[in-house]
Structures are given as C-alpha cells and as structure tokens.
Amino acid sequence: MNPPEDAYTFVRERESSARTYANAVPRVLERGRLTRIHDTDGNSYLDCLTVAGTLALGHNHPVVTARVREYLDSGQMQQALDFTTPAKHAFLRTLYRHLPPGFAATAKVQFCGPSGADAAEAAVKLFKSATGRRTVLTFHGAYHGMTAGALSLTGNLRAKERVASLMPDVHFLPYPYAYRCPFGLGEPQGSTVGLHYIERVLTDPESGITRPAAVIVEAVQGEGGVVPAPVEWLRGLRAITAALDVPLVVDEIQSGVGRTGTMFAFEAAGIEPDAILMSKAVGGGFPLSLVLYHERYDGWLPGSHAGTFRGNQLGMVAGAATLDVIEAEGLVASAATKGALLGDLLKDLAHRHPEIGEVRGRGLMWGLEIVDPQGRPDALGSLPADGARTTALKRRCLDNGLLTESGGRHGAVLRLLPPLTITEEEITELADRLEKSFD
C-alpha cells in the first residue's frame, strides 16, 4: 500500500515560483468559519489575513452561504457577461445604498474582470479616453495590481525590475508616511510640503509632467505597509485636483467595505472622489471587481472594456448578502470600536518590544513596522526596517495559531486584517498570541 500523498509538497513542486503566501504557510488549509481556519493536521488559526482582506465577514458566514446555496438551487445564471439579471439588479440596488449619497447620485458603474487589477486597468483607460490626456500620477508605496498597466502604477520595484516596457507616462509622487517621511520632516510638516510639491508639479510649465488623465491614490496604503494618509492631506489632494480639473481615483480595493471603520477609507476625510475602485470584499468572497465613477466621465464606446467573467452572479449574490449583514449588524461602526481596542493592545505591545518601530492603522487594518532596535536611527529617529526579523516573526505567529502577512518597505511590516466579525474576546486572544510570538 502506498503511503498517503503529501499534498503540500505535490502542489509546491508543480506550482510556479511566483507563488507567495503558500511559501510562508507550509500547511494544507482545509476549513474555516468566521475568524478561525483549520488545516488538515487539525491545527486551528485565528485568521488575520482573510485572503488579503477579501473576507469581510470571515469564512463561510451563514447568511452569505445560505444566499449562495439558495441562488445555486434556483437555476438562475451563474455567469452572464453584462446582461441584466435579477442578481445584478439586487446587487446594484444594495451597493448604491451604501455609497456616499452625493457620489451615488451621479455614479456610473463598470463591471470589470474578476480581479482588482482589472479595475485599475479600466480606470486608466476610462480617464485617458474621457480627458484625452496620457499621463497618470500615482504614489510611492502604492499597490494597484500586477497586470501590466496596474503594475506600472505600483511602487514596489522588485515586481517591476524584470518586466520590460510597462505603461509609459506614469509618474510617482511622495505619499505621507510619518515614520519614514520622504522629506525627512515628519508630520504634519511632511504632508504640507508634499501637497505644495504636488501642486507645483501640476502647475509648473517646466515640471516635465503633462496634465494627467488621473491621480490614483489609496486612502490607506495596504500592501505598501498599512500607511493611512492624514485626513488633512487627503482634503488638500482633493482640493488641488478639483481646482485643476484632474480626476481623482481612490483605490478602495483593500480598504473599502467597512474595513477602516467607515464604509470607504476616504470618507474619514469628508471628500468625494471622481472614481472608486472596488474588489475583494465587495464580492463577498467570490471574484468581483468594478469601477464607480462620475457620469460626466462616461465616455466609453460599447465594448471599450470587457471581460468574460465580469458578470459573476455568485459574486453579486454574495456581495449583496455581505453588505446586508454589515448593515444589519452595524459592522462598520463596530470595526471602528474594535479597531480602537486592537490598536491600544498593539501599542501596549510596542512599549514592551523595541523591535516594533511603529504601530499604525485604522479600523481593522493594522500594521506593525518591525525594525532593528540596534540599528542606526535616521534624522527622524526611525530605526532601519528589518524584513528578516519580520519573516521570522510571521513564522512564529503561524506556530502560535495566528495567520498574518507582511508587506511594506523591505517586507518589514507585519499586517493584520481580521474579519469585521471578530469579537473583542478574539481580539484579546489575537494580542496574546502575537505577544507570545515576540518572546
């Protein structure tokens, strides 16, 4: 009799070397319910990754699974290109109810291919077409996806350095990052100078940068290291772009759908963008991606942006169910409340562990920047990022039943994205397991 096959090894030996998450988790993950997942060896984990923020309600939320089962049993279409269906109608009615009212009143929607990257691609095409301009401005530390156009908008150099001929006419601007201020000033001076610089870039006839088709920004950078933009900076950026007739696109693919304690992260600043990119949580755990934008930019010709799976009915059903649960259970407000608890626990942890350089986040989206406590501080007193230490910490977290992820510069930010359904008791458990992983 042959011994049982090692599933992890079998998959690893056949999967491409581009895989990432699985390399850090040498387990076969099998089942999940809300905040907890289990592997085939019977181990349990608190999930603080939730598929990079995709599972706003955690794994197999009963309302979502019931709606999906009911839909599958109904005999309705599973895929529908861009045809109108009852599921699409219900999803859009629900989604528009959760948009900021002023934005919703004039918003058009473009359903994209199933990944968030395709929403970024669609937005670039839309605003280039609508404005007749070719330049796009983005930010240091940005992440907008891994397809060619989206990768061009992404700050991470490692993903780009071996790929030739990315989209031209993309320029990067400084993003406010207090711990590693690009101007060496810290906050709020860094934001003030940054806004002045952006305004000069857009108005100086010798800047070398033509007026852009769009500025694309994350109100909270996710993959870039969980860096929330100060609300004053977001307001200033909106004021500059509005005054100069430059469309502002906010990427809410990871930070949207209640993650940061408001339905959208930009709402903390009280601004209204020209477009919002959505994916991940908006599909309720199923692939779904879309761009919402002001109707004045609706210059598409039929077929200008298409994709076979843009009509993913299961994503629409699960997405509507997710939004209904978030509303019924008050999960946006509770994300703010529970996020404050988690933030306090993480800051207490930082007081006891000098290898935590900074704790930052909003709602249930947090990052711990891991540093070399013996390293030489910079002019602001910030210590060198320590990616190796972060990798080791992430491994100890896994051993202690905590699934996390890393990101940011040098991979030195431990990232926490628990589901909105996490309880206060589980937050305390999370902090205890994290503390144990530092020891």
Side-chain angles (χ1 to χ4, degrees):
M1 181 176 180
N2 294 327
E5 185 170 77
D6 181 342
Y8 181 85
T9 301
F10 180 90
V11 174
R12 183 191 61 197
E13 289 176 350
R14 287 155 181 81
E15 199 167 10
S16 84
S17 57
R19 68 189 235 149
T20 54
Y21 297 100
N23 293 332
V25 183
R27 309 281 196 276
V28 180
L29 303 180
E30 183 179 33
R31 296 175 292 109
R33 182 171 178 81
L34 301 181
T35 311
R36 298 184 188 272
I37 54 177
H38 306 268
D39 66 22
T40 51
D41 291 326
N43 300 305
S44 174
Y45 308 87
L46 275 175
D47 187 2
C48 289
L49 174 59
T50 56
V51 195
T54 297
L55 300 174
L57 304 181
H59 298 266
N60 295 307
H61 190 282
V63 173
V64 177
T65 55
R67 292 265 194 98
V68 170
R69 286 194 184 102
E70 180 184 0
Y71 185 82
L72 286 171
D73 290 342
S74 73
Q76 295 183 64
M77 299 174 71
Q78 292 184 28
Q79 299 291 342
L81 296 172
D82 63 0
F83 295 123
T84 300
T85 65
K88 187 175 189 177
H89 173 240
F91 171 76
L92 285 177
R93 294 281 293 184
T94 304
L95 175 65
Y96 270 63
R97 194 173 71 245
H98 288 84
L99 297 175
F103 183 85
T106 60
K108 292 281 190 175
V109 61
Q110 169 69 38
F111 285 92
C112 304
S115 76
D118 196 55
E121 300 278 358
V124 168
K125 289 168 61 178
L126 171 64
F127 286 102
K128 284 187 174 184
S129 300
T131 65
R133 305 169 195 161
R134 66 178 185 272
T135 299
V136 181
L137 301 186
T138 181
F139 290 88
H140 302 163
Y143 183 86
H144 300 293
M146 298 297 282
T147 52
L151 183 58
S152 302
L153 306 171
T154 293
N156 188 294
L157 296 179
R158 184 178 181 185
K160 303 165 75 166
E161 60 190 2
R162 298 174 66 183
V163 182
S165 302
L166 291 171
M167 183 173 67
D169 295 311
V170 174
H171 300 276
F172 285 81
L173 300 168
Y175 189 88
Y177 183 179
Y179 193 70
R180 303 198 185 279
C181 176
F183 302 104
L185 298 171
E187 290 295 331
Q189 295 91 340
S191 287
T192 301
V193 172
L195 289 171
H196 180 74
Y197 175 78
I198 292 168
E199 187 170 28
R200 282 300 176 94
V201 164
L202 292 172
T203 58
D204 184 354
E206 298 287 339
S207 71
I209 299 174
T210 58
R211 179 165 293 194
V215 173
I216 182 169
V217 67
E218 297 158 276
V220 180
Q221 289 190 341
E223 303 294 328
V226 192
V227 186
V231 294
E232 295 83 2
W233 182 85
L234 285 170
R235 291 169 186 155
L237 180 64
R238 173 69 284 192
I240 291 168
T241 53
L244 298 173
D245 189 29
V246 175
L248 180 64
V249 179
V250 180
D251 184 336
E252 292 276 358
I253 289 169
Q254 187 168 107
S255 58
V257 194
R259 168 62 54 189
T260 63
T262 51
M263 181 56 70
F264 298 98
F266 70 79
E267 290 185 278
I271 65 170
E272 186 175 299
D274 296 293
I276 306 170
L277 308 186
M278 298 187 71
S279 188
K280 293 189 185 294
V282 78
F286 291 84
L288 195 65
S289 172
L290 49 100
V291 182
L292 292 148
Y293 56 92
H294 196 288
E295 61 188 5
R296 65 175 169 269
Y297 297 108
D298 193 32
W300 291 118
L301 297 175
S304 295
H305 196 76
T308 301
F309 294 107
R310 67 192 184 279
N312 183 6
Q313 304 295 290
L314 293 181
M316 296 176 193
V317 171
T322 295
L323 291 170
D324 284 345
V325 171
I326 287 172
E327 182 177 35
E329 298 185 6
L331 293 182
V332 176
S334 75
T337 302
K338 289 183 284 192
L341 170 62
L342 178 56
D344 287 344
L345 291 171
L346 295 176
K347 289 168 187 174
D348 286 344
L349 187 66
H351 290 146
R352 295 188 293 275
H353 296 278
E355 59 268 48
I356 302 177
E358 185 179 46
V359 174
R360 53 181 180 261
R362 190 181 297 162
L364 290 171
M365 185 175 184
W366 286 89
L368 288 73
E369 181 145 354
I370 307 301
V371 298
D372 177 3
Q374 306 303 318
R376 182 177 180 179
D378 63 17
L380 290 175
S382 301
L383 293 165
D386 196 334
R389 190 185 297 262
T390 309
T391 298
L393 173 61
K394 186 167 63 171
R395 189 177 304 116
R396 290 195 298 273
C397 284
L398 184 67
D399 292 339
N400 289 319
L402 193 61
L403 185 62
T404 62
E405 180 49 359
S406 56
R409 274 73 168 179
H410 309 289
V413 177
L414 189 77
R415 302 172 57 219
L416 302 172
L417 293 163
L420 307 189
T421 52
I422 192 171
T423 65
E424 292 187 357
E425 291 77 15
E426 287 171 331
I427 288 174
T428 301
E429 181 183 351
L430 184 167
D432 290 342
R433 293 189 183 198
L434 186 56
E435 174 98 63
K436 184 178 178 182
S437 301
F438 275 95
D439 296 336

